[in-house]
Amino acid sequence: MRDSSDPDHEPRHRSGAVARMVRMPVATLRVWERRYRISSPAQTPSGQRLYSAADVRHIALLKQLTELGHAIGSLAGLDMAQLRAVAATHAGAVTGTLVDAAPAVASPSWRVAVVGAALARRLERPALRRRLNRPLEVLGPFDDLAHAVAGLGDAAVDLLLVQAPTLQDDWPTLWRRAVPRSVRTAVVFRFASESVCEQLASDGLALLREPPSDAALGQWLQGLDSTDRSSLLATAPARADWPAAESARPRRWDDAALADIAGLSTTIACECPRHIAELLMQLSHFEAYSAECAHRSAADAALHNYLGQVTAASRARFEEALERVAVHEGLLLERQPTNGPPTKTNPSRPEVGGAGG
């Protein structure tokens, strides 16, 4: 299914080089080859796949179309002419790159300042952006509220979007001190008490409890873009009382790596990696939240330590589950402790690629 034949002397590329050229995880390329037979590359006597320039162009177009929302299964059987016809419904080719077709009337960009690197990365996903009414301009990401306010200076923004895994009792006060009331604020959180959520909602903040899917997050943001300050919606808040354990096994993946792993499910048939990655983020934040609670309330420390031990054990089991699912699906992950260099999940298994590509 190629639009040209390759002369014998044409340079050929190994799968790792191809994955870097088209900016996709090598694990995803291998899954596409195994499940959908997207190309017929030459092979060395040892079985190493060698891709031609035409193969690379074909894979790059497939990757761009999947980012526009097409399922790889519906594209795999198409040749280049057919793929270009599909692309023409979305975009024109500019120096070989697909771009969204220009709207009849250009809309001003929605300027959103983001606190939280993992959330900022999610805002780049096509599935989320397709839910928005106009182009999204992301400012940041910033480390915390104070850095965001200082970094923005006098720049005009439409929304300050904050990712806060835990909202302790002093968070409303910290927000009031750091952020001018004229700055519209929305918070994506995991754990908080009902009283904290009520305070923030009364102050006009929009609240969304994690983990929403990309489509749900995009829909929520679209609602914020089309409402005024008086109609911001607060979702069902979480309760307080949560965990952290002493001598718990360190995390294998940080939030950014887990977000990348969750994103892989948009290019493979199995959704389990995304669900498990989201569970792991919840459990990890649950541990941290409880640790903070234990420090603030000596009377409840024993309970929080117990809950932390249970949560840490559950997290460790789900990390093992994610590794097993990844091996089954052909996804090659890299262990990324939050305080240490990446390590291979299992040296006896095939070469491991980065969690995010």
Side-chain angles (χ1 to χ4, degrees), residues 217-284:
L217 180 57
Q219 187 176 39
W220 179 69
L221 290 172
Q222 179 183 329
L224 295 182
D225 189 22
S226 60
T227 58
D228 59 28
R229 293 181 64 91
S230 64
S231 60
L232 300 182
L233 300 178
T235 61
R239 292 178 53 101
D241 303 343
W242 313 108
E246 298 179 1
S247 303
R249 189 168 74 180
R251 294 178 64 180
R252 294 192 186 186
W253 298 282
D254 60 19
D255 282 359
L258 288 172
D260 285 338
I261 294 169
L264 291 176
S265 288
T266 62
T267 58
I268 66 172
C270 182
E271 289 287 317
C272 289
R274 176 172 67 85
H275 296 314
I276 298 175
E278 290 171 349
L279 283 170
L280 281 170
M281 281 191 275
Q282 281 191 295
L283 290 169
S284 298

Side-chain angles (χ1 to χ4, degrees), residues 129-259:
R129 292 205 169 209
R130 285 195 300 272
R131 295 281 177 176
L132 304 180
N133 292 322
R134 54 177 171 153
L136 176 65
E137 181 182 351
V138 175
L139 306 178
F142 301 98
D143 293 334
D144 53 38
L145 293 173
H147 285 129
V149 173
L152 292 171
D154 296 329
V157 296
D158 298 305
L159 180 71
L160 174 61
L161 182 60
V162 182
Q163 184 173 40
T166 65
L167 299 176
Q168 290 292 344
D169 292 343
D170 60 350
W171 205 92
T173 301
L174 295 175
W175 172 77
R176 294 185 191 107
R177 289 175 178 172
V179 181
R181 294 301 296 269
S182 60
V183 177
R184 187 179 183 187
T185 306
V187 183
V188 181
F189 71 99
R190 287 185 183 272
F191 300 104
S193 67
E194 185 172 356
S195 63
V196 167
C197 292
E198 288 181 350
Q199 289 182 61
L200 295 176
S202 297
D203 283 339
L205 277 72
L207 304 177
L208 179 67
R209 185 178 178 183
E210 292 192 290
S213 65
D214 287 346
L217 180 57
Q219 187 176 39
W220 179 69
L221 290 172
Q222 179 183 329
L224 295 182
D225 189 22
S226 60
T227 58
D228 59 28
R229 293 181 64 91
S230 64
S231 60
L232 300 182
L233 300 178
T235 61
R239 292 178 53 101
D241 303 343
W242 313 108
E246 298 179 1
S247 303
R249 189 168 74 180
R251 294 178 64 180
R252 294 192 186 186
W253 298 282
D254 60 19
D255 282 359
L258 288 172

Side-chain angles (χ1 to χ4, degrees), residues 27-39:
T28 302
L29 175 58
R30 290 170 179 165
V31 170
W32 284 8
E33 288 286 7
R34 188 180 74 247
R35 290 190 175 180
Y36 305 106
R37 310 294 183 190
I38 61 169
S39 62

